[in-house]
């Protein structure tokens, strides 16, 4: 008569093993642990994606402005260099502030609550001080109230678009126009620069466009980009107003 292996046990015949309370509690605990770990991983990935977008769209834009100002400083008459130095100093201070703000946002709720129209106006004035091209800015008589989160996401999109104009367009004119139409805010940014053909330039950096579409989805905005070589680039944003 053979002996049963001592390392293997069976539940009693009159009781289903799955009905054991201790086993059920263990199964529930394991399931909760898996869900918690999955949530933590998703949160960590979200934070990494957020940091990547902030570094590219915001910090990258500010760093590029510093670079442009430094180049222009060499071409600026000596009597006007002090103003350029002050502009560079202000940009470096803002860059430092934004780095600290990003660190805060990754560990706590500390997002910028400045209204979108104020952020946009500040950026327009900063572009005008560069004197690289003509800047035409048209805004609505009354700005709609945008939630702070939506306004900040929209502003990051504008920063990325303007950064592309500075780095790639060789434009002599930039037009920025905001129009409220019913329950939508329409934002148009158009330059008369080199333009490009997205289908024939596979080597053109695509990270910025990826971030634009990701941010558009975050605020349920419609994004349309039109560009042709030697005919400039137009970006149209249609944002629902709550």
């Amino acid at each position: 008569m053979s002996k049963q292996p001592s390392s293997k046990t069976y539940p009693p015949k009159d009781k289903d093993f799955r009905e054991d309370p201790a086993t059920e509690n263990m199964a529930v605990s394991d399931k909760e642990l898996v869900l918690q770990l999955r949530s933590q991983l998703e949160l960590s990935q979200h934070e990494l994606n957020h940091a990547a977008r902030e570094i590219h769209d915001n910090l990258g834009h500010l760093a590029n402005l510093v670079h442009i100002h430094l180049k222009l400083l060499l071409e600026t008459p000596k009597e006007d260099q002090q103003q350029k130095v002050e502009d560079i100093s202000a940009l470096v201070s803002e860059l430092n502030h934004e780095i600290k703000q990003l660190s805060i946002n990754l560990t706590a709720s500390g997002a910028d609550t400045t209204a979108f129209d104020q952020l946009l106006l500040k950026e327009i004035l900063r572009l005008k001080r560069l004197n690289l091209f003509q800047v035409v800015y048209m805004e609505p008589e009354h700005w709609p109230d945008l939630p702070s989160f939506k306004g900040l996401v929209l502003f990051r999109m504008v920063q990325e678009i303007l950064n592309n104009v500075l780095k790639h367009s060789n434009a002599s004119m930039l037009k920025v126009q905001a129009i409220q139409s019913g329950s939508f805010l329409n934002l148009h940014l158009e330059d008369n620069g080199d333009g490009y053909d997205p289908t024939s330039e596979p080597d053109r950096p695509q990270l910025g466009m990826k971030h634009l579409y990701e941010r558009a989805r975050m605020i349920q905005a419609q994004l349309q980009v039109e560009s042709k070589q030697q005919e400039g680039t137009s970006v149209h944003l249609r944002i629902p107003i709550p």
Side-chain angles (χ1 to χ4, degrees), residues 112-135:
D112 193 340
T113 57
T114 306
F116 169 75
D117 58 305
Q118 297 177 36
L119 292 170
L120 179 59
L121 178 59
K122 181 180 178 181
E123 198 67 33
I124 293 297
L125 293 175
R126 188 153 52 193
L127 285 179
K128 287 185 175 182
R129 285 199 299 272
L130 288 174
N131 292 319
L132 291 175
F133 42 71
Q134 180 186 5
V135 180

Side-chain angles (χ1 to χ4, degrees), residues 69 73 76 80-88 129:
H69 270 289
L73 181 62
T76 303
D80 298 326
Q81 287 184 354
Q82 182 60 36
Q83 181 60 53
K84 281 292 180 188
V85 171
E86 291 177 3
D87 289 342
I88 294 170
R129 285 199 299 272

Side-chain angles (χ1 to χ4, degrees), residues 63-73 130 132 166-167:
N64 187 49
L65 285 173
V66 172
H67 176 70
I68 292 172
H69 270 289
L70 287 171
K71 289 177 63 177
L72 293 175
L73 181 62
L130 288 174
L132 291 175
L166 288 170
K167 293 173 67 175

Side-chain angles (χ1 to χ4, degrees), residues 112-120 140 142-158 178-187 219-221 237-242:
D112 193 340
T113 57
T114 306
F116 169 75
D117 58 305
Q118 297 177 36
L119 292 170
L120 179 59
H142 299 289
W143 279 93
D145 292 328
L146 290 175
S148 58
F149 170 77
K150 179 174 286 190
L152 183 59
V153 171
L154 180 59
F155 179 64
R156 293 290 182 256
M157 296 178 70
V158 171
I179 303 171
Q180 182 177 350
S181 177
S183 57
F184 290 91
L185 173 65
N186 296 294
L187 192 62
I219 58 175
Q220 292 81 49
L237 282 161
R238 183 174 171 85
I239 306 97
I241 301 170

Side-chain angles (χ1 to χ4, degrees), residues 84-102:
K84 281 292 180 188
V85 171
E86 291 177 3
D87 289 342
I88 294 170
S89 178
L91 280 170
V92 172
S93 296
E94 185 171 352
L95 181 59
N96 185 50
H97 169 76
E98 292 296 331
I99 291 172
K100 291 180 179 178
Q101 193 66 37
L102 177 59

Side-chain angles (χ1 to χ4, degrees), residues 4 9-17 19:
Q4 291 185 347
T9 58
Y10 296 89
K13 292 182 179 180
D14 59 345
K15 184 178 181 182
D16 192 322
F17 180 69
E19 296 177 358

